[in-house]
Amino acid sequence: MKRTVLLLPDQLNLHRGALADSSPADTTVLVIDSDRYLASRPWHRQRIFLFYSALEHFLVELRSAGYQVIKIRAANMADGITQYRNQHLTAELIAGEPNSISQQYALNQYGIKLVPNDFFLTSRSDFQAWANSQKSLKMENFYRQQRVRLNLLMSGDEPVGGKWNLDHENRLPPPKGKSDYPKPRQYEFDEIDEAVWQELATREITLWGDEPDGSWATTRAGALQRLTDFIAQGLADFGAYEDAMPQNSWSVYHSLLTPYLNIGLLTPAEVISAAIEKYEQGGIPLASIEGFVRQIIGWREYINGTYWHFGTGYEKSNNLNADRKLLPLYWDESKTKMNCVGSIVGDVKARGYAHHIPRLMVLSNLALLAGVEPTEYLDWMTNTFVDAFDWVMVPNVIGMGLHADGGKMMTKPYVAGGSYISKMGQYCNGCFYDPKLRVGETACPFTTLYWDFLDRHRAEFFNNHRMRQQYFGLAKLSDLAELKLRAQQVLTGLANGTI
Ligand code: SF4
């Protein structure tokens, strides 16, 4: 008798998860289109479109490979499964282990058999074993172990080039006057894209952000083209400009592969293999390949591992007692005069994407400095980014961006004033504010709030030896009282959209 695979929409791969080793002769594929899921958030148009259209394309691929595909539209996942079971009384349902804790809980409740999740290079149990063997969850230690385990960029027992991490070479600001960054490929809408977009328009759903404009492929073929483009045009300079924030390129030399890795259209193994092959042909600096490998086998796996390690409840952490509502500027860039924030929110609105430094050092930094309630910001990030899923957003926002977990993940908060953004970006020249000023009408809000944050959170961070320099700087400020007053004005202005 045929088994039924409940296909999860972020597991679009015939060779992974529940579909691995399946054939049309022994497997029926079931998809539940849940109204509740669609109505659960105010989605960025491009994020929800990519998610739905990639699924539809994958279903076409399955049908043309001979699979029977049954799609049920239902009020929610549970109703859809019940409908299917009522029609197929003896069917055994299996699924790949989901990528989210709540979904895993739900599928267990519905009695669905789960097969191990192999969409990552590190199994959940292997990460757990590593985490249990550590005093603190330092990503660098995990990454080194991954390099050895996967035998990547190794020369015997030593890292190629003698150093594990070449990040110090990878912090160049955007070069002045440079305009020839790689231009990301635009993808044509096909009939399936058109149909998906028309169908979404008929559903009960709240949307924001710009309409799909071809920035993101919705097929594996398109994802592979993007991988090829990155290897040819981006990889060589990826490392050096990994943290750069030029104003004239939203993508810089970034791979733009996370949306595809996170829905299964690409696997981390094939991405790494393509990058290493190119490096071995020559012409790619070691700092670039090392930086890229670290993102894939280090950070990405570490984030997934910590998500499962910390488990249920972690997403509600709020150790700094931040209680401010989400700032209006996150929805509407016209609600701020800060050029960096306005430009980046504009980029995010345009295509549901910003690379890791604008996310961390501008958008999240501002939310942390302003004391935005973590779940408010987490929701916005999850609604918005084309590569957003619980496993990636929860640790990135709660642990890394907002330091809301009391330091379980990071030993110090990622906070910075305007000087960091001024050094790594090109926004300050055209800004109403001055990154060097901390008081007065034109003081950079980041700079003012940075010092105010350190002062507000003395109890939490003063004895943190990694923050000694910062508190040393704070002690030398002669205008702290004035700065604190300005910080209150800034916080009020951020809340009412006038800063
Ligand atoms: Fe951003 Fe401050 Fe620079 Fe303006 S001055 S662009 S607010 S960092």
Side-chain angles (χ1 to χ4, degrees):
M1 199 184 72
K2 274 190 176 183
R3 61 187 194 150
T4 300
V5 165
L6 173 66
L7 179 68
L8 303 178
D10 57 352
Q11 300 193 357
L12 307 183
N13 198 306
L14 248 182
H15 309 289
R16 289 283 189 282
L19 286 174
D21 305 321
S22 70
S23 76
D26 62 25
T27 300
T28 297
V29 176
L30 169 65
V31 174
I32 310 287
D33 181 357
S34 157
D35 287 337
R36 182 192 286 171
Y37 178 79
L38 207 53
S40 63
R41 292 176 173 278
W43 299 104
H44 191 297
R45 288 184 172 79
Q46 302 206 24
R47 187 236 188 279
I48 200 68
F49 168 73
L50 169 59
F51 200 56
Y52 270 68
S53 193
L55 172 64
E56 278 311 315
H57 282 90
F58 186 67
L59 297 184
V60 167
E61 200 185 302
L62 289 177
R63 286 189 190 103
S64 49
Y67 284 86
Q68 182 189 12
V69 174
I70 297 174
K71 193 169 158 192
I72 297 177
R73 176 158 169 200
N76 54 52
M77 179 69 100
D79 279 7
I81 290 168
T82 304
Q83 278 184 43
Y84 184 78
R85 281 190 167 136
N86 286 344
Q87 289 157 13
H88 305 81
L89 294 178
T90 56
E92 182 199 29
L93 257 73
I94 68 167
E97 273 179 338
N99 291 312
S100 94
I101 293 169
S102 58
Q103 208 173 29
Q104 172 119 329
Y105 177 78
L107 295 193
N108 280 330
Q109 293 284 97
Y110 309 149
I112 291 171
K113 188 176 157 198
L114 300 180
V115 302
N117 184 305
D118 56 359
F119 286 84
F120 293 83
L121 297 165
T122 317
S123 71
R124 290 173 196 170
S125 55
D126 282 356
F127 187 89
Q128 196 60 31
W130 173 80
N132 290 340
S133 72
Q134 304 292 304
K135 277 199 194 128
S136 69
L137 299 182
K138 243 179 136 184
M139 200 294 285
E140 182 66 20
N141 293 341
F142 172 73
Y143 166 58
R144 291 181 188 190
Q145 181 198 260
Q146 292 282 81
R147 286 270 295 275
V148 174
R149 179 174 75 85
L150 299 167
N151 193 23
L152 284 167
L153 299 176
M154 295 298 295
S155 169
D157 292 340
E158 296 298 317
V160 167
K163 287 187 183 146
W164 292 100
N165 184 322
L166 299 172
D167 220 12
H168 60 281
E169 293 177 32
N170 286 353
R171 290 186 186 140
L172 295 187
K176 278 198 184 99
K178 184 174 172 62
S179 59
D180 59 345
Y181 296 100
K183 290 240 174 321
R185 178 190 293 268
Q186 290 291 116
Y187 297 90
E188 296 276 315
F189 253 43
D190 63 16
E191 282 175 9
I192 299 170
D193 291 321
E194 294 286 357
V196 167
W197 189 233
Q198 278 172 23
E199 212 263 327
L200 280 175
T202 68
R203 306 284 291 267
E204 243 181 66
I205 176 171
T206 308
L207 297 169
W208 83 285
D210 291 358
E211 292 194 1
D213 63 349
S215 291
W216 303 104
T218 51
T219 62
R220 174 165 162 80
L224 284 170
Q225 282 175 335
R226 187 142 272 174
L227 173 60
T228 306
D229 291 347
F230 169 65
I231 298 295
Q233 300 159 17
L235 181 59
D237 291 304
F238 168 78
Y241 300 107
E242 195 180 347
D243 291 356
M245 296 184 286
Q247 205 166 355
N248 56 352
S249 171
W250 60 274
S251 47
V252 202
Y253 294 99
H254 286 266
S255 72
L256 313 181
L257 296 175
T258 46
Y260 314 114
L261 285 164
N262 294 359
I263 57 176
L265 285 184
L266 296 179
T267 66
E270 69 187 330
V271 166
I272 283 292
S273 153
I276 292 285
E277 190 183 323
K278 177 73 174 171
Y279 168 70
E280 287 175 348
Q281 289 163 5
I284 303 294
L286 182 57
S288 271
I289 187 70
E290 188 282 311
F292 185 67
V293 164
R294 179 154 30 91
Q295 293 299 328
I296 303 290
I297 71 165
W299 278 112
R300 185 170 187 274
E301 300 284 316
Y302 172 84
I303 288 293
N304 183 53
T306 52
Y307 171 74
W308 290 95
H309 174 71
F310 292 137
T312 314
Y314 180 79
E315 75 283 1
K316 299 232 160 43
S317 310
N318 186 4
N319 272 50
L320 296 176
N321 297 317
D323 59 2
R324 196 168 295 278
K325 287 249 158 244
L326 188 73
L327 309 175
L329 54 79
Y330 287 104
W331 295 111
D332 178 356
E333 72 273 28
S334 74
K335 302 280 188 226
T336 182
K337 298 195 289 264
M338 289 186 280
N339 192 28
C340 55
V341 177
S343 303
I344 291 162
V345 170
D347 281 345
V348 169
K349 200 167 145 194
R351 52 189 84 77
Y353 181 88
H355 74 72
H356 70 147
I357 294 299
R359 288 190 208 198
L360 182 65
M361 299 310 295
V362 179
L363 301 176
S364 302
N365 185 21
L366 181 66
L368 174 55
L369 293 177
V372 174
E373 206 276 314
T375 56
E376 291 247 332
Y377 183 68
L378 173 61
D379 274 345
W380 179 78
M381 293 287 283
T382 308
N383 302 336
T384 297
F385 281 86
V386 283
D387 49 13
F389 292 94
D390 283 358
W391 69 266
V392 64
M393 281 304 166
V394 170
N396 264 310
V397 169
I398 299 297
M400 209 166 167
L402 299 195
H403 204 80
D405 65 349
K408 281 187 186 157
M409 194 171 153
M410 296 291 142
T411 50
K412 68 173 204 162
Y414 274 96
V415 281
S419 60
Y420 175 87
I421 299 166
S422 168
K423 182 176 147 221
M424 296 309 296
Q426 292 177 326
Y427 302 106
C428 295
N429 276 346
C431 186
F432 174 83
Y433 300 106
D434 181 340
K436 292 193 283 306
L437 298 182
R438 57 180 177 262
V439 291
E441 282 274 292
T442 56
C444 169
F446 279 100
T447 307
T448 308
L449 292 181
Y450 168 75
W451 294 114
D452 181 60
F453 175 90
L454 292 181
D455 186 56
R456 257 189 290 145
H457 291 293
R458 271 177 205 271
E460 289 89 357
F461 301 122
F462 186 75
N463 290 323
N464 182 332
H465 72 278
R466 293 195 65 210
M467 297 185 70
R468 200 165 290 156
Q469 282 289 85
Q470 279 135 303
Y471 277 98
F472 188 63
L474 180 67
K476 291 207 298 193
L477 295 189
S478 55
D479 51 4
L480 188 58
E482 193 186 345
L483 182 143
K484 302 277 299 170
L485 283 176
R486 175 63 189 161
Q488 286 313 307
Q489 291 168 357
V490 169
L491 291 168
T492 305
L494 285 171
N496 64 27
T498 56
I499 279 289

